[in-house]
Amino acid sequence: MRLDKFVCDCTGLTRSQAGKLIRQGEIQLNGLLCKQPAQQIKESDVVLLDDEPLRLTGPRYILLHKPAGYVCSTDDPDHNTVFVLLDEPNIDKLHTVGRLDLDTTGLLLITDDGQWSHKISSPKHECAKTYRAWLADPVEDSAIAQFAEGVMLRGEKTPTKPAQLEIINPTECLLTIHEGRYHQVKRMFAAIGNKVVQLHRERVGPLTLDTSLAEGEYRQLTPEEVSLFN
């Protein structure tokens, strides 16, 4: 991890503020002044500010703009995982809150707080998730009522919970679901004879994807955003 990123995470300073602090000679690394914000540090390194050690404290809550081509697992022999996009210490302690498919983009939450992620991903909490779907064929207005009633997915014994469909144009829709079955959005459109050609998650609960984040970029959630799910 870069030294300026570490200082940011420990102090709440912005990257520019941390860089200025380092260049002014306010930071010691392993007993020596370090004025290089881009200096890479290890978990075993000792970083001092005003002769006090800086330490990462508390759980981490991350919002990632997931690109296509990455899987939501810690290890995959065929594809990059979303964790290679993170410049964070102790990556092995982090996990994704639910999953997005390999080709699905958009809002992905990552944390090391198991209780917090359970509140979002547990079916009993019915946390709403909104997806923008681009379709192979025009969707009929009748699909709005079908999804609101619940549709039977292939191989399932019970229909989906009521979902809200908003038709943006004949081949572009917003779909809000309240559960997380396997490939659910794609299977729901397949159940009415259509096919999803592109899928993007825009919202989880009350939290919307930060439009300032390019694909592959991430940021820490604010305390106010974290509390939205408590």
Side-chain angles (χ1 to χ4, degrees):
M1 174 186 272
R2 285 171 54 117
L3 178 58
D4 56 357
K5 179 68 167 59
F6 179 80
V7 174
C8 287
D9 290 351
C10 292
T11 63
L13 295 173
T14 66
R15 183 70 70 92
S16 61
Q17 289 171 333
K20 182 178 180 181
L21 199 69
I22 295 166
R23 287 189 292 271
Q24 289 175 339
E26 301 292 331
I27 296 293
Q28 293 182 45
L29 176 61
N30 298 326
L32 300 174
L33 286 180
C34 181
K35 296 186 178 182
Q36 301 298 321
Q39 174 69 44
Q40 291 291 323
I41 64 171
K42 306 184 296 294
E43 185 178 354
S44 59
D45 290 335
V46 177
V47 180
L48 301 181
L49 171 62
D50 295 331
D51 295 322
E52 292 292 331
L54 294 181
R55 297 186 180 91
L56 292 171
T57 59
R60 289 170 287 174
Y61 306 94
I62 294 169
L63 186 158
L64 170 70
H65 186 170
K66 179 190 173 296
Y70 291 79
V71 295
C72 295
S73 62
T74 55
D75 184 48
D76 188 284
D78 301 314
H79 304 96
N80 283 324
T81 80
V82 293
F83 295 99
V84 305
L85 300 170
L86 306 182
D87 180 16
E88 296 289 327
N90 302 317
I91 286 287
D92 60 307
K93 295 183 178 180
L94 293 167
H95 63 271
T96 61
V97 182
R99 291 173 180 256
L100 291 178
D101 299 340
L102 175 70
D103 57 350
T104 300
T105 61
L107 193 163
L108 181 67
L109 297 175
I110 299 174
T111 186
D112 49 14
D113 184 342
Q115 291 186 336
W116 185 79
S117 64
H118 178 73
K119 294 175 184 177
I120 301 171
S121 57
S122 173
K124 72 176 183 179
H125 289 105
E126 298 188 4
C127 182
K129 304 170 187 69
T130 300
Y131 295 81
R132 187 175 295 269
W134 289 267
L135 308 170
D137 301 305
V139 63
E140 301 290 339
D141 290 342
S142 59
I144 296 175
Q146 287 179 274
F147 283 3
E149 293 175 1
V151 296
M152 186 64 71
L153 304 181
R154 184 176 180 180
E156 301 276 356
K157 295 182 179 180
T158 59
T160 61
K161 292 179 179 178
Q164 293 73 53
L165 179 67
E166 178 184 353
I167 300 176
I168 307 300
N169 62 56
T171 57
E172 182 181 347
C173 301
L174 288 176
L175 179 62
T176 300
I177 61 176
H178 304 270
E179 52 189 334
R181 303 191 193 191
Y182 180 70
H183 290 176
Q184 182 173 340
V185 174
K186 294 177 181 178
R187 293 168 68 203
M188 288 179 70
F189 281 105
I192 61 170
N194 212 324
K195 180 181 179 180
V196 173
V197 295
Q198 187 177 347
L199 192 61
H200 178 81
R201 184 158 71 186
E202 296 190 348
R203 181 186 291 265
V204 173
L207 187 63
T208 303
L209 179 62
D210 190 334
T211 56
S212 69
L213 294 176
E215 288 191 1
E217 293 184 339
Y218 72 96
R219 67 168 175 81
Q220 304 290 330
L221 293 183
T222 66
E224 292 75 19
E225 289 171 330
V226 173
S227 67
L228 291 173
F229 300 98
N230 289 333

